[in-house]
Each structure stands twice: as structure tokens, then as C-alpha cells.
Amino acid sequence: MDQIKQLFHKEELPEEIKREYERWRSHRIDDKDLIQELAEIEKKNKEIYERFYTSLSFGTAGLRGILGAGSNRMNIYTVGQATQGLANYLNNHYERPFVAIAYDSRRKSREFARDASQVLVGNGITVWLYPDIMPTPCLSFAVRYFRCHAGINITASHNPAQYNGYKVYGPDGCQITEEAVEEISREIRRTDLFDDVKRGAYDMATNVGNIRCIEQSVEEAYLEKVMEQRVNPGIGEQCPIRIIYTPLNGSGLRMVREVLARTGMRDVYVVPEQEHPDGDFPTCPYPNPEVKEALQLGINLSDELQADLLLATDPDCDRVGIAVRHNGEMVMLTGNQVGVLLLDYIASSRKENGTMPEHPLMVKTIVTTSMVDAVAAKYGVEVRNVLTGFKYIGELIGELEAKGEEGRFLLGFEESYGYLVGSYVRDKDAVVASMLIAEMTAWHKSQGRTLVDALDALYAEVGYYKNAVDSFAFEGSDGMEKMAAIMEGLRKEPLTEIAGQKVVSRADYASSQRVCGDEAETIGLPKSNVLEYGLEGGSSVIIRPSGTEPKIKVYYSLTGEDRQAVENFYQQLSGWAKEFLGA
């Protein structure tokens, strides 16, 4: 790799990259956009290098990358190679396997879904395919509904328009395990993306039933399960609220509007510029419901129509961001704040309604707010922590189901705006979350409160909590090496203080060890490259490198009686992180 960098620095392409580029040029390419791109980058060494110096990495989140030509881009050939690897894996483990496939509104999503179907049937695998764009949770539901051995979802979630992705799900409806990733990755590496991929004829496979259309009855079965999660049925009619909804040009429009209508929420307006599917995302280049810019058109319409609530789902409709009217203005709430409010609403209502299960349980990730613990304690709800990634929440639901205890599960959520109520799917679900957030808003309105009022009341009761995350990018081909060096250094010389605050406990999820003073204990979670530092006063800092891109994320979970003191402490910690990481 060092030799490649040195050669490229002189603007000379390594021979192996030249050969691969020429192989693509000479191959019969079935996508005219790729043909045009390959021609346009001729003699542009930097452009060729970026597309061919490596291959897209396959991980627990599958593939994700920029659309385009080359082994380091998302295209029908890298998708075909990944699907051939998956097909080999499935045929090694199952007789006559079945796979469900869904896709969102992104550019090339439909083409990638169709190509993946052809590769699977070319390997003797039967496919259940959604005929139109669908939310991510519908893929998880279909896997479980049809008892498939795997699922494929074509989406890049909230990434910018030039990206697409390829997620693989296991038979439980969760994203695949590390063990499955390793085996599929080995199969992918031994598969040539031109010569070794077997494709069946799409039309023929459809005619003989090897590619089967997922019918509307399955969508209806999913919606029925969503409706079963209502906490206070009829509240939308008893206390009407005005809702603005934006699917951010993604896949949520039909399902979210339908479920709101079925719950009596009929005063709903959709942001017209973001209503219809459009993979270019013309009004929000970064279609992330965490970002105010993506919600600005919705906020503007909310002000114009004096709406009570704004709901915004990301392109694959597994995450939802919100803003609520408070004192005449629209106020955005974070994923942590909404999750805490949902826990309080669900637990208090179910206790009041007499529907609280015995030994109730909620699940959160380790980087999600510790305010959950204080609120859960009010209602006798057990809190379980899992590693970052919703698949771990899904796996825990599966463990409960295996013991016949899935009824204990009240809520699972993560700080990045992902929520799930119910065990019918094993991924975050913005459809059920949108329904319950709307229901919760109406219920609090019936009590004369906004969601901001409800949150402030919780702060007054259990203390003020602030959760934030800073992301630090390490660009360039040596970015991952720098990140690894930082994590290694932190393990060799453990931090004893952070921003002037004494570290009172340390946890290394890679070694499964937590140390507090002279006491050490084993962390009962899968190993992960995460370091956690507990500070005096109950606050904590978590340092975690991304597994899919050259970024280190620093998560802050801060608490105190005084809001301003906590805000000031965050500024100190954020400044420390920037200096410490050299960002």
C-alpha cells in the first residue's frame, strides 16, 4: 500500500489499477451510465485511482458507497458480487433457501434489487420481492412473515444522494451477525465480479415463480401489527392535533399516512416539495432527520399552518425526527429526548390502563442517554444495555421470544432517532414510531401540555440530562491507521481525567473489562472497539471509531441539577475532544 501511495503521489497509476480499469473498459457493461463514466475518466488518474484502489468493504451493515463505476463504487457488478457471496453462503447452509428483497427511493435502488433477484435465482434461490419502494421495517417483517433465510434491503439510509447501499438480514429479521459477515465476506473475496456471478433471466424467473411479488396482503398484515402497538386508542379523535409530515422524498409516505389515518389523525399535511420519491433529494442534499436543514421546509409549513407536530422520516423510513410547537415556535427534539418521552408515556399509560406486563423491560444502546434509567425506575421497568446498532436490540427481543417473554418488551431505542415498540420486526421502525409520537403529542395536549413541557417536568423530577455526540473525520487512505493508533494509545495509557474531571471508572468493550477503583468486572456483551469513561457526578464519555468510515465518535452523557452548568461542561468536554484527537 505504501508503494501504491508513493506511485500515485507522482501521478502514476499502479499497473494493477491500470489493468483493472482497462478490464472494465473492455467488458460488456450493461449500464450505460457506467460506460459513460468510464469513458469520462480516461487519463484522469486521480479519478481512476479513487474508483479502483480498493473494493467496497462488506460488514454487518452490508455495503455502502458512492454510486459509479469501479470496485470501490456501488454498481450492478459490486452488488452482483455481494449477492453471489450471499448466495454461496445460503446454499452452503440451507436446502432451497428463500430471500426477501426491498428497496427505497435512491438512484439505482430498483435496478440493484432486480439484479440481486437475478443473481439469487441464478443460484437456485427463491425470491420474495416488493414491487415498489418500501420502508426498511417492512423488509424485516417480510423475512419473518415468509420465514426466509435472509433478506436484502437496497438503501443508504440518510446518506447524501450520490450514495447507495446493500444491507443483509438474517432469518430472525435482524441485520446479520459478525459470524455470517465473515463467511459471506470470504465468499465475496473469492468471487470475480464479472466472471463468477451467475444471473438468471428476470422475466422467466417471474413467470415460473422463482421471483414472487410480495402482495398487498403482507403490507396489511404489517399495518395490523403496527396498530396493535397503540397505547391510548382513540386519543387522536378525542384531542385532534395538526401534523405536518415529510418523507424527505423517501419511502415512508404511503405507510405513515395510512397508519396516522387509521388512528384518527386526519389533520395531516405533507410537505409538497418532499412528498414524492426522488433519489436526488433536491431540497435536502443530506436527507437526515437529525439535521435542521432537512426539516426546514417542514418547519416553515408548520408555522404557516400552526401545526402541533412535525414528523420527518429518513429515505428508508426506519428513523424519525420531530419538531413540536411550544410557546408559538417549532422546537426540534433529539433522539434521546423523544426516546425518554416515549418511555415515560408508554409506561405511565400502560400502568394507568392496567396493561403493564409483569417484569417490563426496555432496551437501549450503550451510547443512549442514562436518563432512561431514572425514568424507568419510576415504573419498575428493567433497562438492558446493548452495543451500538439496532440489531443488538433485535437479538435481545429474539432471546425474550425464545423464552416466551416477548410481552415484557416495552420499547427499544437508540440515540440516532431509531425506535421500536412491539416484536413483529427486528429493526427500528419509523412507521410505528410516527404513530406513537403523534398519539403521545395528542395525549399530552389533552392534559394541557406540549412535549417540551413534559420533558421539562421530567428534568425537574430526575435532574437535567444532556446527550451529545461529536464526530471527527480522519480523511485519506491512512485515516483508519490513525484511528487505530489513537485507540491503541488510549489502551496503553488509560485516561485518569478528562477536561479537569476525574475518571472514576473505565470500560473497554474490546476486552470486556470494566474497572472502578480497585474493582474489576466482566462486561456481558459481545466484544467491540469501544472505550467508556465514567466521571465524577454521574456523567460519562464514550469513544468509538466507526466501523464503516474513517471517523471517531465521542458520545457525552452528562447530568446535573443545573442546566447551564451541564451545558458549560459539555463545551469543556467538546473542546478537550477536539484538542485530544487533533481535529
Side-chain angles (χ1 to χ4, degrees), residues 169-181:
Y169 289 71
D172 57 356
C174 297
Q175 290 186 44
I176 52 174
T177 64
E178 294 282 359
E179 293 77 15
V181 166

Side-chain angles (χ1 to χ4, degrees), residues 137 140 144 173-174 222 225-226 229 318-320 339 342-343 346 361-364 390-398 409-414 417-434 436-437:
S140 179
R144 295 173 56 76
C174 297
Y222 164 78
K225 288 296 183 182
V226 171
Q229 312 313 317
D318 63 352
R319 302 190 310 136
V320 57
L342 280 171
L343 172 62
I346 293 168
L361 171 73
M362 73 84 54
V363 192
K364 72 178 188 70
F390 216 89
K391 70 170 187 169
Y392 296 109
I393 295 176
E395 287 174 358
L396 198 150
I397 297 171
F409 175 70
L410 289 187
L411 169 70
F413 84 95
E414 58 185 6
Y417 296 64
Y419 317 94
L420 176 63
V421 177
S423 60
Y424 57 98
V425 298
R426 299 298 158 82
D427 208 344
K428 46 193 177 288
D429 185 350
V431 180
V432 76
S434 295
L436 287 172
I437 290 167

Side-chain angles (χ1 to χ4, degrees), residues 108-125:
K108 301 291 184 180
S109 283
R110 186 187 297 271
E111 290 88 341
F112 292 166
R114 179 183 173 118
D115 189 71
S117 300
Q118 289 180 259
V119 174
L120 291 171
V121 298
N123 286 271
I125 297 171

Side-chain angles (χ1 to χ4, degrees), residues 248 337 433 441 544:
L248 297 179
Q337 290 169 333
T441 303
R544 170 182 170 265

Side-chain angles (χ1 to χ4, degrees), residues 289-292 295 310 319-324 331-342 367-369 371 413-419 437 440 451-452 455 459 464-469 556 563 567:
E290 300 177 52
V291 178
K292 185 176 182 180
L295 274 63
L310 166 65
R319 302 190 310 136
V320 57
I322 77 167
V324 297
V331 179
M332 288 182 64
L333 298 182
T334 69
N336 278 310
Q337 290 169 333
V338 173
V340 166
L341 285 167
L342 280 171
V367 298
T368 298
T369 180
M371 187 177 179
F413 84 95
E414 58 185 6
E415 46 79 34
S416 56
Y417 296 64
Y419 317 94
I437 290 167
M440 174 173 66
L451 293 188
V452 176
L455 186 62
Y459 287 148
Y464 182 71
Y465 287 76
K466 179 180 178 66
N467 287 78
V469 58
Y556 313 95
R563 180 190 295 254
E567 295 288 349

